[in-house]
Structures are given as structure tokens and as C-alpha cells.
Amino acid sequence: MLAELSIKNFAIIEKISISFNKGLTVLTGETGAGKSIIIDAVHLLTGARGSAEFVRHGEEKAELEGLFQIDDTEHPVCKKALEFGIDMEEGTIILRRDISKTGKSICRVNGKLVTISTLREIGAALVDIHGQHEHQELMDETRHLPLLDQFGAEEIFPAINEYQEVFRRFEQTRQRLKALSENDQKMAHRLDLIMFQLNEIQKANLKLNEDEELLEEKRRLANFEKLYEAFQLSHNALNGDQKGLDWIGMAMGHLEAAAALDSGYKEMFENVSNSFYQLEDAARSLRNELDLLEFDPERLHEIEDRLNEINQLKRKYGKTIQEILEYAAKIEEEIETLQNKETRIDELQKELASVKKDLSLEAKFLTELRQKWAKKLTGLIHKELKELYMEKTIFEIRFETETDHFSKTGADHAEFFISTNPGEPLKPLSKVASGGELSRIMLGLKSIFSKHQGVTSIIFDEVDTGVSGRVAQAIAEKIYKVAINSQVLCISHLPQVAAMADTHLFISKVVKGGRTTTSVKPLNEQEKIKEVGRMISGAEITDLTKQHAEELLQIAVKNKKN
């Protein structure tokens, strides 16, 4: 949910910080006090288009910051954050956006600089803003099928996964067939090229780790003189009169005599004795190495030529000999395919037909599941609309299924259609024009989809405009119902909606130092009665108005319990 919102130098707002709670938060106040400006700030914070006009007059920049708390580790925004390399600590996401007076924006998510498009993707998973003229995904027909899939997720999502597995095989086979069916001249050029490459690699007769072994041998040859001198001096230090082995041999003889006199010195004698024989073996090895060491300038040239040849192949075919050999195996298979092109095309055509048959079955099953859940959804929407006094409204989900054309999500296209008056034809939801009716339709849909959309906060910006009486009460109850599953922030002029609020914020304009600014105040119970009374009667609040307000709030408490 949105836990904290900070706004600085934004439109008429100088500086405010608002804490939000779960449930339904209603924002009320006189027209022009700045209610919609607060919603505009949230909209910009979640990636909406910004401009210099939002910066408060005389200031360098507007600063917006929102703190969101995510309780569910499986929430879609967690996946988005991981995708963009954004760290999430203790289920917290902080969005920040600074807009300069030149119109440029700087966006951050949890302190990391991001683009506007990234901010928009993160924001879309956190907040859904619904206004009088802006309906987001419910009014976008391309979102209707995903919404239906979310509604029936328990059955539809596993079926989509099964379908997509087959779809991947279908696409891979189709791409291989397409590549093989390209014009003969291009294929001939490709065959000539890879045959030359394979011949060049095979001719080199590469062996795994050969380059490392050659580098080691080159190092030895290049340091021949230093190695010879080291071995020679080491051997001389051990062998010959009055050299190391003579002295150690003398020590061994004396210790042998001492051990014969006292067995306590036996271990000391054995240690020196073992060391003598080990050094004697080392001296022989040094002598052998000196006899074998031979400087061969021709061999050094051979090694350098071979390493140069290997490096040339690395520049062309891979960073290591392993990669070069793997590339050779790959193009050898491709050569065989191209040389037997017609046979391979025939095989791929048969394979594609077989996979397409499997795909058709998976798509058909997916369509049947969607149609099944579409009926359930249609029934629920009719129930919701009836509760909003639109019992004569007809809602329908229409499918277009292309049996020979498949996309990643199946073969279906779904769109919501509606008729609000008897005798009128069903029209696409996006074409419904009446503001009051549209508000109720959207609320009915939101009541159902709020459980499935995954957003943490839903914002209604004056969606109750144009309604009154029993419809207003129904809308109030419906908004509260949405708030059971999602945090809801609602700007409203209806006392019925305000009465249902879990938290009531009053927005007002004040003048300080000759400048207008907006202030936000949480209302206590008495202040709430007064504000609901103002919404009922206007400026003049009488005792009767207060009684009506108290009665409305009591009714709201009962309705909440129900």
C-alpha cells in the first residue's frame, strides 16, 4: 500500500507530507482546494508525463516521493524490481521524481536512477488511478483478455504455461524452416563460407589446452640461461668436497655414533639421515636436468608460429580452443543440413505440422477454459451492476478465435461489450459515453478485478460525479467493497462516500505570505460529522444537517459490518 506521500513545490502545494492507512481513505474539500493536484502528484510519481507547468511558481524544481509497503513477496512489483536490478529491503519501495523548471525529470526507485519507462512499469504494478476521463486498463481492449486470465488464474495460468511450452517449439521449428527455405544463392554463399571455416579449423588440428602447454614451454625456453644457472649452482652447492652433502654426511655419522651410545638420539639421527638421502636424490635429479637442458632456438620459433596460428583462429571463432572446437562441431552439423537441404526441409515441414497440431489442441483447450470463466465473470458483473441499480444492463465478453494464427497468449482475442438500455445494441466498453453510467460500470468491474489485478493502491478521482440518491449510496458501498481487497484513495463530493471512509482527509487552501498553498488535515469524529454535513447542505450547517450527517455515519458503520 501507499504508506507515505511527500510533495514539495508542486503546483499550489508548497510542502506537505501525508500518511495513508489501509482500507478506504476519502479526500474531500472545496473545489479548487488541491484534491486532484495530490492525485496528479501520485500519477506523476508512477510515470505519467510531466512538464515544467507542475513546478510551483518561483521554485527550481518540484519534488515528489512515495513510500510503498509490500507484504506479499510474490507481488508482481517484486518481480519487476528484480528484473530492473532494484534492491527491495523489508518489502519497501520508494519512488522519487524531481521535475525541474525546464521540464526535465530525474526518477529514482529505492535510490537507483531509472528511466521514465521503468518508473512507469514499476508504478503500474503499484497504483491504478481511475478518473472521470481516464480509465486505464479496463477501457483498453487489449487488456481485457489478460484481465479474464487473471480472473480465472487457478485454471487458466497452468493452461497458458502448457500452451507456451508448445508455442516455443512451434516458433523454433518455424524459424529453422524459414531460414532453410531462403533463396538458393544465399544458402550457397553460406555453405561456401562455413565449409572454408571448417576446413581452416580442421587443418589446424587443435588439441584441448594446447595453447597453455605451448606457453609454458615457451616460458622455459625463453628463460633457459636463468634455469641452467639455477640448476648448476644448486648442484654445486650439494656435491663435491666440502659441499652440502659432505657436511650433512659427517653430521649423520656423528649422530649415528651418539645414537649407538644413547637410544634417545635415534630419532634425531633418523631425521638427519632421511634428509641426507632426500638431498642426495635431489642432487641426482639436478644433474639429470642439467644433462637434459638444451636451448633450441628453432623450437622457440615453432612455438611462436603455432601460438600465432591459434590466436588467429581465436579472433575468428572463439576465445578459447574449447569454443573454437564447439563452433566447428556446430557448423559441421549446419553443413550436413545444407548439403541435404531438401531432405531437411521435408523433415522440418513434417515436424512443424505435428507441433502445430499439438498447439491447436492446447489453444482449443485454453479457449474452452476462457469461455468457461467468461461465463462466471459475466454472471458476477451482472450481479455487481444490479447492486448499482443497473439491473437492465447487459454485459458480454465476445471472443474472436483464429484457428490458424497463434500468438504467445493463444488464439483468442476478447473484448468487453455492454448495453445500458433495453433495446440498445451491445457496444464495446470503450465506446460507452455516459459519465454516470460509466462510473458505475467501472466500479462494478473494479469490485471484481481488484482481487486479481495485484495493484497495492487504487485511486478513484471523482468517479461518483453525476449520481445521487440511492445510486450514490450504492457507489459508496461498492467503493468500500473494493477497499476490502486493496487500499483505496478516493476524491469525492458525495457525503455517502465520505461517511464510509476509514480515514477522512480534508483538503483546504490557505494563504501564507501572499502565496496560496494546500494543506491536508486528518479529521476526527466530530470534524468528520461537520464535513459530511457541509457536503450534504453546502456552506450553512444547521443542527438538522448535523443530525443527518450523524445518521449517515451510523448507517455507514452498519453497512461496513455487513
Side-chain angles (χ1 to χ4, degrees):
M1 70 169 194
L2 175 61
E4 191 84 21
L5 177 66
S6 296
I7 305 171
K8 185 178 179 182
N9 299 327
F10 184 73
I12 64 170
I13 296 175
E14 181 182 7
K15 185 178 181 181
I16 59 172
S17 182
I18 313 170
S19 296
F20 294 100
N21 299 312
K22 291 182 178 179
L24 174 59
T25 298
V26 174
L27 293 77
T28 67
E30 296 289 354
T31 301
K35 301 184 296 297
S36 290
I37 293 173
I38 293 171
I39 303 306
D40 287 341
V42 178
H43 210 170
L44 285 165
L45 196 56
T46 53
R49 187 185 297 275
S51 74
E53 294 175 5
F54 288 109
V55 181
R56 184 172 166 83
H57 178 69
E59 301 295 339
E60 291 296 314
K61 64 179 180 179
E63 300 174 26
L64 310 171
E65 192 167 51
L67 167 65
F68 293 84
Q69 292 177 340
I70 312 299
D71 298 328
D72 182 8
T73 55
E74 299 298 318
H75 192 281
V77 79
C78 299
K79 184 179 178 181
K80 285 286 180 188
L82 183 65
E83 183 183 328
F84 292 117
I86 297 166
D87 293 328
M88 282 185 63
E89 294 183 7
E90 299 177 355
T92 298
I93 285 188
I94 298 174
L95 305 186
R96 182 181 174 91
R97 185 171 181 182
D98 296 344
I99 304 172
S100 72
K101 64 180 182 180
T102 61
K104 292 184 179 178
S105 288
I106 296 174
C107 309
R108 289 183 175 87
V109 178
N110 281 1
K112 180 177 179 177
L113 283 169
V114 297
T115 63
I116 286 285
S117 61
T118 300
L119 183 69
R120 191 176 297 122
E121 284 196 50
I122 296 285
L126 291 170
V127 179
D128 182 19
I129 300 175
H130 172 70
Q132 288 174 274
H133 308 292
E134 191 170 33
H135 312 300
Q136 292 206 356
E137 63 183 347
L138 288 177
M139 296 302 287
D140 180 0
E141 65 179 69
T142 63
R143 294 293 302 144
H144 293 175
L145 186 65
L147 282 170
L148 174 61
D149 289 345
Q150 286 174 355
F151 177 70
E154 60 187 86
E155 281 191 325
I156 293 177
F157 279 1
I160 288 176
N161 291 336
E162 291 290 333
Y163 168 87
Q164 287 178 345
E165 282 294 322
V166 183
F167 181 75
R168 275 191 286 273
R169 281 169 40 213
F170 176 77
E171 281 295 291
Q172 288 168 359
T173 308
R174 193 170 65 84
Q175 289 300 326
R176 290 202 303 271
L177 182 59
K178 181 183 176 184
L180 203 57
S181 301
E182 290 176 350
N183 64 71
D184 291 341
Q185 186 179 22
K186 188 175 180 180
M187 289 293 101
H189 288 163
R190 174 66 181 166
L191 184 60
D192 286 346
L193 172 64
I194 58 178
M195 284 185 72
F196 170 80
Q197 292 175 342
L198 182 63
N199 181 59
E200 186 177 30
I201 295 170
Q202 288 178 336
K203 190 177 177 182
N205 195 26
L206 296 171
K207 296 179 179 63
L208 285 174
N209 303 320
E210 180 184 359
D211 50 347
E212 294 173 10
E213 292 170 2
L214 288 172
L215 283 168
E216 185 62 32
E217 188 178 354
K218 179 184 175 181
R219 202 176 292 115
R220 286 200 302 271
L221 288 171
N223 293 290
F224 172 79
E225 290 182 4
K226 291 179 181 178
L227 286 170
Y228 190 88
E229 183 181 4
F231 288 153
Q232 184 69 56
L233 291 172
S234 299
H235 184 268
N236 290 342
L238 291 171
N239 264 338
D241 294 339
Q242 300 298 305
K243 299 294 182 179
L245 280 173
D246 275 357
W247 287 105
I248 294 171
M250 288 171 62
M252 182 175 67
H254 292 311
L255 284 171
E256 186 178 17
L261 296 171
D262 187 339
S263 61
Y265 299 116
K266 184 178 180 183
E267 184 179 352
M268 189 182 297
F269 161 69
E270 288 176 351
N271 287 338
V272 173
S273 177
N274 289 336
S275 298
F276 175 80
Y277 293 123
Q278 285 177 351
L279 287 169
E280 196 173 44
D281 288 342
R284 277 195 295 271
S285 297
L286 285 168
R287 180 71 263 168
N288 291 337
E289 199 63 37
L290 284 166
D291 292 340
L292 291 172
L293 274 177
E294 181 181 357
F295 181 66
D296 185 353
E298 288 300 320
R299 175 58 183 162
L300 187 59
H301 287 310
E302 286 175 13
I303 291 171
E304 287 175 342
D305 289 344
R306 180 60 172 171
L307 285 171
N308 184 55
E309 181 183 12
I310 292 171
N311 287 332
Q312 290 283 359
L313 292 172
K314 283 181 180 180
R315 277 193 286 272
K316 291 181 180 180
Y317 308 120
K319 294 178 182 178
T320 64
I321 289 178
Q322 175 74 30
E323 288 183 11
I324 294 169
L325 294 174
E326 286 173 358
Y327 178 74
K330 180 183 173 183
I331 59 174
E332 189 171 15
E333 185 179 338
E334 188 178 350
I335 287 168
E336 184 182 353
T337 298
L338 291 175
Q339 286 177 335
N340 299 282
K341 179 182 170 183
E342 298 304 323
T343 303
R344 186 60 182 146
I345 286 175
D346 186 54
E347 290 173 355
L348 283 173
Q349 285 175 336
K350 289 178 181 176
E351 184 180 344
L352 187 65
S354 175
V355 175
K356 188 176 181 180
K357 187 177 179 181
D358 292 342
L359 191 63
S360 296
L361 291 172
E362 293 291 344
K364 184 181 178 185
F365 178 63
L366 187 54
T367 298
E368 289 170 355
L369 278 180
R370 283 170 170 160
Q371 289 173 341
K372 167 188 165 183
W373 281 94
K375 287 180 182 177
K376 292 183 180 180
L377 178 58
T378 300
L380 281 176
I381 288 173
H382 280 136
K383 181 176 178 291
E384 293 289 334
L385 294 177
K386 185 177 180 182
E387 291 174 5
L388 287 163
Y389 301 101
M390 294 182 71
E391 59 276 357
K392 294 180 181 178
T393 297
I394 300 173
F395 178 88
E396 185 179 298
I397 302 174
R398 290 186 177 176
F399 284 87
E400 287 182 15
T401 303
E402 299 182 53
T403 55
D404 204 44
H405 177 75
F406 305 98
S407 70
K408 191 177 180 180
T409 56
D412 304 314
H413 170 78
E415 187 174 359
F416 298 164
F417 277 71
I418 200 158
S419 171
T420 56
N421 296 301
E424 289 296 315
L426 285 158
K427 293 180 182 179
L429 182 62
S430 56
K431 300 291 192 296
V432 175
S434 168
E437 288 178 336
L438 187 54
S439 296
R440 283 183 278 168
I441 293 165
M442 301 312 293
L443 277 174
L445 294 172
K446 286 288 184 189
S447 298
I448 298 167
F449 288 126
S450 62
K451 300 176 185 178
H452 306 279
Q453 287 174 289
V455 293
T456 64
S457 304
I458 296 173
I459 296 175
F460 293 122
D461 186 4
E462 299 188 12
V463 295
D464 49 24
T465 299
V467 297
S468 59
R470 62 176 189 170
V471 173
Q473 183 60 43
I475 283 181
E477 291 171 12
K478 200 61 64 179
I479 290 175
Y480 184 79
K481 183 179 176 183
V482 174
I484 294 170
N485 299 300
S486 301
Q487 179 194 44
V488 172
L489 312 180
C490 179
I491 291 178
S492 179
H493 292 288
L494 288 179
Q496 292 91 337
V497 174
M500 294 293 287
D502 297 310
T503 305
H504 192 148
L505 301 177
F506 181 69
I507 317 298
S508 60
K509 283 193 296 189
V510 293
V511 178
K512 291 181 182 178
R515 294 293 304 275
T516 302
T517 189
T518 293
S519 69
V520 180
K521 180 185 178 183
L523 301 184
N524 59 34
E525 285 303 312
Q526 287 304 312
E527 290 168 332
K528 190 172 180 180
I529 291 169
K530 185 178 177 182
E531 174 59 8
V532 171
R534 183 195 66 79
M535 296 173 76
I536 292 171
S537 64
E540 188 177 348
I541 302 174
T542 64
D543 290 339
L544 185 60
T545 304
K546 286 184 179 179
Q547 288 176 17
H548 287 165
E550 289 176 352
E551 185 181 4
L552 192 57
L553 287 163
Q554 289 168 4
I555 291 169
V557 171
K558 290 178 182 177
N559 287 335
K560 285 181 182 182
K561 288 179 180 178
N562 293 332

